[in-house]
Amino acid sequence: MNLRQSWRWFGPNDPVSLADVRQTGASGIVTALHQIPHGAVWPVEAIRARQAEIAATPQGETPLHWAVVESLTVSESIKTRTGTYKQHIDDYKQSLRNLSECGLKVVTYNFMPVNDWTRTNLNYPMTDGSKALYFNWFDLAVFDIHLLKRPNAADDYAPGVVAEAERRFGLYTAQECEQLADIIMFGIPGEAKQTIDGMRARLATYADIDADALRANLTDFLADVAPLADELGIKLAIHPDDPPFPILGLPRIMSRAEDYDYMLTKVPNKSNGVCFCTGSLGANPANDLPALVRRIGEKIHFVHLRNVRKDEHGNFYEADHLDGDVDMYAVMREVLAIQQRVAEPIPFRPDHGHQMLDDLHKTTNPGYSCIGRLRGLAELRGLELGITRAEGWH
């Protein structure tokens, strides 16, 4: 059995239309109701309306269906277990019921505090003329120490990083500093953007929350929602930290094999599982990705496939899908071996992609332009076909 080819779509305002997606070869849509505030209930009517929009197919054209929810966002109140977190958990459970009523069975989320995925450059130039997403520790330190002005931030960086950040800050214009801050706080396309003041306020709520406390909050949350997900037949899929290191003084708890062992053992419910992201996990040189796929096994409910290339400082850019530090052949082979043992196709999507060709002249969501992801999907599709034929998995 093959994997289910899917595509991230950010809704009606996404520059990549559903008509475009049909031409990629993907049939599963990965999306969310980004217009609904974090913590609020997703109404059945809104879910069905989005399903109908996705399923509306011109006669004779390839049908699409909503295959994966990404993301049913966990609110900051739940992550910190403060304020109205109990109501938010009740509302999260109601959203799960509503999604199940509409036939949606794979739900992705993350437990990253304050910021979602973090990069320092959204237009990193590649040697072939395309543009990639990039993470640089020196520029993160510029933001953290000199723009955010987090108390004692310099203590979290090596002296060489602090010195280079100070040098860069002295060279950057006010406009360049503002642009750097906007990039680091970019967040999810289609959702409200953060401000530096807002980030400072959110960081303050984590002043007394270390990795152990955040890990306990995650497992407490799962203990609340996983039994219902079991009952509904929903597969919960937690996305790893991106990048998989503590940043901005915040703990990271889904970055290494030990984190998955803890989470899956502490909450052994059938529904409790993983969104395996090769790019996020691949940014940490300590992670052996093929071994980690084997270790998690059938608990992998959804897969993001992308590649990264790191330098000696731990900075990384997002490479072509088959050309980076991640051994994509070995990862794909292990995922396909799991696929042969489970009853339903495991959805995957080509995660991120270079802005390239005609997309260089268009307004696109960073990492989510069409042509770069199309190239990635085509490469991954060919890799999958080669492995399945070689192994006799038909």
Side-chain angles (χ1 to χ4, degrees):
M1 183 186 296
N2 288 337
L3 307 173
R4 174 169 290 146
Q5 298 176 26
S6 304
W7 189 271
R8 183 74 181 268
W9 182 64
F10 291 99
N13 295 322
D14 194 321
V16 181
S17 69
L18 292 173
D20 296 332
V21 176
R22 287 190 182 88
Q23 296 178 47
T24 69
S27 60
I29 294 296
V30 179
T31 193
L33 302 183
H34 297 289
Q35 72 274 21
I36 295 179
H38 297 177
V41 174
W42 286 17
V44 169
E45 297 76 12
I47 298 168
R48 291 199 189 282
R50 180 58 54 84
Q51 280 183 307
E53 183 177 15
I54 292 168
T57 306
Q59 186 173 2
E61 295 192 14
T62 303
L64 302 172
H65 69 283
W66 189 354
V68 179
V69 174
E70 185 182 349
S71 295
L72 182 59
T73 304
V74 178
S75 71
E76 291 298 308
S77 292
I78 292 175
K79 293 172 188 173
T80 57
R81 291 185 81 82
T82 58
T84 56
Y85 80 92
K86 291 183 179 180
Q87 182 62 53
H88 282 193
I89 291 175
D90 287 344
D91 290 345
Y92 200 97
K93 292 164 75 171
Q94 186 58 50
S95 293
L96 291 178
R97 294 186 187 95
N98 294 348
L99 288 166
S100 177
E101 181 179 333
C102 297
L104 288 158
K105 297 298 184 179
V106 181
V107 176
T108 306
Y109 67 101
N110 73 67
F111 222 76
M112 287 182 268
V114 179
N115 229 24
D116 207 281
W117 61 278
T118 302
R119 298 292 183 272
T120 57
N121 189 338
L122 304 180
N123 296 288
Y124 184 71
M126 304 297 291
T127 57
D128 63 4
S130 62
K131 296 178 180 179
L133 302 181
Y134 179 61
F135 177 87
N136 182 285
W137 283 105
F138 304 124
D139 279 334
L140 182 72
V142 170
F143 170 77
D144 195 6
I145 299 169
H146 298 285
L147 304 180
L148 184 64
K149 298 180 181 178
R150 181 171 62 89
N152 303 314
D155 295 343
D156 291 342
Y157 300 92
V161 175
V162 174
E164 175 62 15
E166 184 171 359
R167 186 189 73 83
R168 292 188 180 199
F169 180 62
L171 295 175
Y172 289 169
T173 66
Q175 183 178 3
E176 288 171 328
C177 287
E178 183 179 353
Q179 182 181 40
L180 176 63
D182 287 344
I183 291 169
I184 290 173
M185 299 187 295
F186 186 83
I188 297 297
E191 296 189 0
K193 303 305 176 189
Q194 293 203 67
T195 64
I196 285 182
D197 286 342
M199 178 169 278
R200 287 179 183 136
R202 290 187 177 190
L203 289 173
T205 66
Y206 285 86
D208 299 319
I209 299 177
D210 60 10
D212 288 339
L214 187 62
R215 189 176 291 114
N217 291 352
L218 168 61
T219 54
D220 285 346
F221 165 71
L222 286 171
D224 278 328
V225 302
L228 174 63
D230 289 346
E231 178 186 326
L232 298 172
I234 283 179
K235 297 177 180 179
L236 299 171
I238 189 168
H239 189 284
D241 302 324
D242 187 7
F245 306 101
I247 60 171
L248 306 178
L250 296 166
R252 296 297 217 188
I253 59 169
M254 294 306 303
S255 298
R256 305 167 302 161
E258 294 80 3
D259 297 328
Y260 290 92
D261 289 345
Y262 181 89
M263 188 266 297
L264 295 172
T265 301
K266 191 75 172 178
V267 185
N269 297 64
K270 181 179 180 180
S271 60
N272 184 28
V274 172
C275 169
F276 194 91
C277 178
T278 58
S280 299
L281 294 166
N284 188 337
N287 288 329
D288 179 339
L289 267 62
L292 188 52
V293 173
R294 291 192 296 272
R295 193 166 181 161
I296 299 173
E298 286 82 356
K299 286 290 190 173
I300 293 177
H301 294 161
F302 182 33
V303 182
H304 290 179
L305 296 176
R306 62 178 168 87
N307 222 318
V308 295
R309 191 170 292 280
K310 305 177 287 292
D311 67 16
E312 67 274 18
H313 303 292
N315 307 318
F316 63 88
Y317 66 84
E318 300 197 3
D320 291 324
H321 286 75
L322 303 187
D323 180 30
D325 296 333
V326 175
D327 184 344
M328 197 61 75
Y329 171 88
V331 170
M332 177 69 86
R333 189 182 182 283
E334 295 297 342
V335 172
L336 284 167
I338 295 169
Q339 179 64 84
Q340 309 318 303
R341 304 196 298 266
V342 300
E344 298 178 351
I346 301 170
F348 86 92
R349 65 174 178 85
D351 195 16
H352 298 177
H354 292 170
Q355 190 177 11
M356 59 191 301
L357 302 174
D358 193 49
D359 282 342
L360 289 167
H361 311 292
K362 297 178 181 177
T363 298
T364 64
N365 288 325
Y368 289 98
S369 57
C370 185
I371 299 172
R373 285 187 291 161
L374 173 59
R375 173 182 173 175
L377 179 59
E379 292 176 344
L380 295 166
R381 182 186 297 132
L383 180 61
E384 178 187 39
L385 177 62
I387 293 172
T388 55
R389 288 284 180 88
E391 300 290 340
W393 293 331
H394 300 297

